[in-house]
Amino acid sequence: AQSVTQPDIHITVSEGASLELRCNYSYGATPYLFWYVQSPGQGLQLLLKYFSGDTLVQGIKGFEAEFKRSQSSFNLRKPSVHWSDAAEYFCAVADLYGGATNKLIFGTGTLLAVQP
Amino acid sequence: EAGVVQSPRYKIIEKKQPVAFWCNPISGHNTLYWYRQNLGQGPELLIRYENEEAVDDSQLPKDRFSAERLKGVDSTLKIQPAELGDSAVYLCASSPGIAGMSTDTQYFGPGTRLTVL
């Protein structure tokens, strides 16, 4: 079955430091991958998505992610974190099997804290 | 452009009481989703509509949960009776296209946080 694993439940970084959030997926074919961010009391906002083509994907707010098929990974990166990036980040894969197309399967999320 | 609207934002009820959530998707979006997000978890799909038809409700606990999307626009999700384990955030999302458009982006509302006492 399709699944997404986010190994880090909680990460703390200093403002201005670089960030990498890990995501591993299990999927039988070429995956459609997403990163969403959820701020307290807010809905999920799409940061970026990968469907095909260039494996390095640029998103909003200075985020990027790299699809690595050999490692079944889709890690999210940002070169310099801002205090406003503190939020919870979810990786997701689109489930295309069983007629349930366009269903998103989410990881458990990584909570990012930013130190001043 | 207005986003996905949900109400209420917060709801506290006692167990065995009924509760309903409302969602207004982005104008023109054909597909509507209800997800449940338990504390410390990612969202899980409950039901997906294409226009007014529920095309995937395999994860909806049908003994107590029901949903409808009249006229293919607004949707309501109901729980009757609520149980303690139903405490969660209920998220509504919408996307422009129809099933098979797996590249569609889902746009999420702010959610309704339900607490069952």
Side-chain angles (χ1 to χ4, degrees):
Chain A
Q2 298 83 353
S3 65
V4 174
T5 302
Q6 294 182 248
D8 304 306
I9 297 173
H10 187 272
I11 284 182
T12 301
V13 300
S14 298
E15 191 169 15
S18 63
L19 171 70
E20 182 168 24
L21 302 182
R22 297 184 290 165
C23 172
N24 294 97
Y25 65 89
S26 173
Y27 197 73
T30 300
Y32 294 156
L33 296 160
F34 305 80
W35 273 100
Y36 281 86
V37 60
Q38 186 176 36
S39 299
Q42 303 296 315
L44 287 92
Q45 180 183 22
L46 181 70
L47 287 175
L48 47 79
K49 58 188 177 184
Y50 170 78
F51 296 143
S52 63
D54 193 345
T55 56
L56 185 61
V57 181
Q58 301 297 320
I60 63 171
K61 304 184 179 185
F63 285 93
E64 66 177 27
E66 186 171 12
F67 170 62
K68 293 185 177 179
R69 184 187 299 276
S70 62
Q71 299 177 19
S72 297
S73 70
F74 188 57
N75 294 348
L76 182 71
R77 301 194 295 248
K78 187 170 185 178
S80 177
V81 171
H82 188 263
W83 64 266
S84 60
D85 292 325
E88 190 155 23
Y89 292 79
F90 291 93
C91 182
V93 64
D95 182 359
L96 306 180
Y97 293 153
T101 56
N102 216 14
K103 168 183 174 180
L104 290 179
I105 297 173
F106 287 87
T108 52
T110 297
L111 185 63
L112 173 66
V114 180
Q115 288 181 335
Chain B
E1 177 184 273
V4 176
V5 179
Q6 291 188 248
S7 69
R9 293 293 307 277
Y10 304 91
K11 190 73 176 179
I12 301 174
I13 61 171
E14 294 188 346
K15 63 181 181 181
K16 300 185 181 180
Q17 294 300 307
V19 64
F21 315 124
W22 176 80
C23 172
N24 180 239
I26 293 173
S27 178
H29 280 195
N30 296 314
T31 307
L32 183 145
Y33 314 76
W34 283 103
Y35 288 84
R36 176 169 60 188
Q37 185 177 17
N38 293 315
L39 187 64
Q41 301 293 317
E44 295 180 325
L45 182 72
L46 291 174
I47 189 169
R48 176 169 63 89
Y49 282 93
E50 293 176 14
N51 296 309
E52 66 276 9
E53 181 183 1
V55 295
D56 183 1
D57 62 356
S58 57
Q59 302 302 311
L60 190 72
K62 298 181 182 63
D63 57 336
R64 297 183 299 107
F65 285 65
S66 64
E68 61 181 7
R69 189 183 184 197
L70 299 177
K71 300 182 181 179
V73 183
D74 296 1
S75 177
T76 56
L77 178 68
K78 299 177 182 178
I79 308 175
Q80 183 171 7
E83 297 179 352
L84 295 177
D86 296 330
S87 294
V89 175
Y90 291 83
L91 295 164
C92 180
S94 68
S95 65
I98 303 297
M101 297 287 287
S102 54
T103 57
D104 259 358
T105 294
Q106 295 184 25
Y107 297 86
F108 285 80
T112 297
R113 181 176 295 278
L114 174 67
T115 301
V116 182
L117 303 176

